[in-house]
């Protein structure tokens, strides 16, 4: 074999060995670190799970879930639209699977959500009589919370009942039942599931005006002598604009009310958007300028994302005595709801694992917060 060919061959072998060893290092780094292990003494680490994941049809996601998470929330299948599609029809198939998955894998399940104005079944929206609506409300909580009373860890009893200015959202629940419906929901849930932790959950409730409304709402529940155990701050934030001060102030103020504080739907989106929050009714028309990174995230944005996650976890660790759980809203970037909201069909990068389930720089920064 000519000299040059030999040299090429040697180079190829060296490269192959190096690649192989990098691969082994990556696999062993993957094997060694685990979010749930790293933060075991601090707070639970959760993920939202979609239907394919609950049914264990997504083997790669399953491996990541088992390695990294000790808590999980069904992204959609416990919402009324799916679990209670008609007046006297309940569909527990997927919720039962989720509960069984949690039991099998020692993953605590957070029920999401009993009372939410969105993803309501059509029959419920169309109930005109107040008495019938109240019967739906009562039956729904009794049946769903009752079924899982000894099997799930917690419920988001009421989701997103507030407007941005802290007033009550004009939802179907408010218009039919009046503004006591939140307290009533907690009273019913506490009776149906006496051992399950009960939370109020919202987005932007770290913002001062909405936080004040949230505090007033929770105080009303407490003053009525009804049990509420915690408050969920969803945590749908934007890269470079994470409101760290408001988050810290909120952790302190909510904890001072005797509540557990948790981050229930964490993601940090990187695409352009003109408003904050997660109101699923807000939609924006598709336009290429709103989808700037279809083929990959530029390094500068990747770094900013990693830095934001790092700062956030440092803050969570500083207040770990008040925080019980941090749940990411999805397993990998490709599975995030943010690829389709508020603009459909974008390529977003809001989580710690990329579309191939590889840990991103943000993952390593988050893990690294424990070494500082
Ligand atoms: O189930 C249908 C399916 O049959 C159909 O083929 C498909 C076509 O689009 O749609 C499927 O429904 C989608 C559903 O997710 C399940 O994938 C809906 O269109 C879609 O709107 C729905 O989005 C969910 C959204 O809530 C709706 O309100 C997201 O997955 C889910 O991540 C999101 O979660 C909410 C939290 O519950 C509350 N806080 C905000 C958060 C983000 O919006």
């Amino acid at each position: 074999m000519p000299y040059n060919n030999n040299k090429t061959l040697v180079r190829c072998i060296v490269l192959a060995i190096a690649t192989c060893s990098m691969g082994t290092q990556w696999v062993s780094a993957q094997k060694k670190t685990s979010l749930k292990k790293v933060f075991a003494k601090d707070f639970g680490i959760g993920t939202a799970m979609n239907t394919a994941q609950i049914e264990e049809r997504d083997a790669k996601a399953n491996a990541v879930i088992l390695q990294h998470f000790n808590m999980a929330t069904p992204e959609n299948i416990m919402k009324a639209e799916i679990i209670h599609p008609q007046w006297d029809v309940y569909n527990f198939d997927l919720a039962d699977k989720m509960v069984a998955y949690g039991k099998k894998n020692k993953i605590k399940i957070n029920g999401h959500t009993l009372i939410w104005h969105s993803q309501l079944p059509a029959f419920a929206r169309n109930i005109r009589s107040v008495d019938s609506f109240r019967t739906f409300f009562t039956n729904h909580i009794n049946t769903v919370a009752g079924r899982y009373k000894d099997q799930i860890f917690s419920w988001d009893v009421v989701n997103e009942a507030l407007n941005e200015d802290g007033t009550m959202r004009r939802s179907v629940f408010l218009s039919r039942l009046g503004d006591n419906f939140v307290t009533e929901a907690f009273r019913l849930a506490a009776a149906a599931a006496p051992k399950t932790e009960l939370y109020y959950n919202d987005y932007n409730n770290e913002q001062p005006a909405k936080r004040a409304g949230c505090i007033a709402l929770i105080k009303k529940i407490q003053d009525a002598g009804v049990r509420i155990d915690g408050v969920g701050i969803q945590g749908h934030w934007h890269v470079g604009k994470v409101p760290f001060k408001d988050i810290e102030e909120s952790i302190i103020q909510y904890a001072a009310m005797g509540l557990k504080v948790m981050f229930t739907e964490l993601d940090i989106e990187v695409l352009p958007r003109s408003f904050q929050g997660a109101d699923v009714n807000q939609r924006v028309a598709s336009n290429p300028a709103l989808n700037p990174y279809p083929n990959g995230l530029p390094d500068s944005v990747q770094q900013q994302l990693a830095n934001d996650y790092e700062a956030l976890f440092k803050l969570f660790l500083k207040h770990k005595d008040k925080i019980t759980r941090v749940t990411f809203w999805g397993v990998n970037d490709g599975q995030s709801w943010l690829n389709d909201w508020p603009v459909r069909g974008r390529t977003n990068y809001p989580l710690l694992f990329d579309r191939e389930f590889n840990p991103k720089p943000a993952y390593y920064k988050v893990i690294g917060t424990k070494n500082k």
Side-chain angles (χ1 to χ4, degrees), residues 3-294:
Y3 171 75
N4 268 348
N5 276 357
N6 269 344
K7 227 170 132 183
T8 311
L9 185 66
V10 170
R11 276 203 193 119
C12 283
I13 291 169
V14 170
L15 192 68
I17 292 169
T19 311
C20 193
S21 112
M22 271 165 62
T24 321
Q25 274 170 22
W26 178 79
V27 170
S28 70
Q30 273 276 78
K31 280 210 171 115
K32 265 194 274 169
T33 60
S34 150
L35 291 166
K36 71 178 174 191
K37 285 189 187 151
V38 164
F39 296 103
K41 295 202 170 126
D42 307 313
F43 30 71
I45 295 283
T47 182
M49 287 177 65
N50 64 27
T51 302
Q53 292 158 354
I54 293 167
E55 294 190 319
E56 296 180 71
R57 287 186 276 116
D58 185 343
K60 285 183 172 174
N62 196 44
V64 172
I65 293 168
L66 298 184
Q67 183 175 346
H68 292 285
F69 300 105
N70 49 23
M71 298 196 172
T73 304
E75 187 174 0
N76 285 299
I77 55 93
M78 280 188 175
K79 292 172 181 172
E81 172 179 76
I82 293 167
I83 211 168
H84 188 180
Q86 290 169 43
W87 178 264
D88 52 3
V89 176
Y90 290 86
N91 176 2
F92 292 121
D93 284 4
L94 286 165
D96 286 357
K97 280 189 181 142
M98 175 101 193
V99 168
Y101 179 87
K103 204 169 174 188
K104 181 170 83 177
N105 297 305
K106 294 195 173 65
I107 291 175
K108 289 182 179 173
I109 305 300
N110 170 62
H112 176 83
T113 167
L114 290 171
I115 297 299
W116 189 28
H117 60 276
S118 197
Q119 287 178 285
L120 262 184
F123 85 85
R125 285 186 195 289
N126 294 329
I127 303 172
R128 294 281 165 250
S129 133
V130 168
D131 282 350
S132 299
F133 194 85
R134 187 172 295 283
T135 304
F136 154 71
F137 178 82
T138 306
N139 287 349
H140 180 75
I141 297 176
N142 284 346
T143 308
V144 179
R147 181 179 183 90
Y148 297 111
K149 68 181 166 152
D150 296 318
Q151 302 183 67
I152 64 172
F153 177 68
S154 58
W155 268 111
D156 295 333
V157 177
V158 176
N159 196 43
E160 301 173 10
L162 293 164
N163 291 318
E164 298 309 282
D165 65 359
T167 58
M168 295 290 289
R169 182 193 286 270
R170 296 196 60 77
S171 70
V172 62
F173 292 102
L174 188 79
S175 68
R176 300 284 193 283
L177 305 176
D179 62 8
N180 253 346
F181 85 84
V182 177
T183 303
E184 286 315 308
F186 277 84
R187 196 192 299 279
L188 289 165
K195 289 181 262 169
T196 307
E197 292 194 1
L198 306 179
Y199 311 140
Y200 176 74
N201 191 48
D202 215 327
Y203 59 83
N204 282 355
N205 54 342
E206 78 284 351
Q207 296 295 317
K210 196 160 181 176
R211 184 205 303 146
C214 194
I215 286 174
L217 186 66
I218 291 166
K219 202 158 179 322
K220 201 167 156 189
I221 301 168
Q222 293 176 325
D223 288 350
V226 173
R227 177 165 69 89
I228 172 167
D229 301 293
V231 58
I233 297 172
Q234 291 183 5
H236 295 294
W237 291 308
H238 200 280
V239 74
K241 295 184 200 158
V242 179
F244 295 107
K245 279 207 171 117
D246 294 327
I247 297 169
E248 180 159 33
E249 192 53 38
S250 300
I251 296 169
I252 293 167
Q253 290 195 25
Y254 288 134
M257 302 180 77
L259 298 169
K260 295 175 180 176
V261 180
M262 61 222 68
F263 293 86
T264 53
E265 304 184 12
L266 181 58
D267 45 33
I268 301 182
E269 79 154 301
V270 301
L271 302 182
R273 172 132 74 93
S274 55
F275 61 93
Q276 279 185 311
D279 187 338
V280 289
N281 297 316
Q282 274 178 287
R283 288 269 173 198
V284 176
S286 177
N287 159 0
L290 296 176
N291 190 26
Y293 317 126

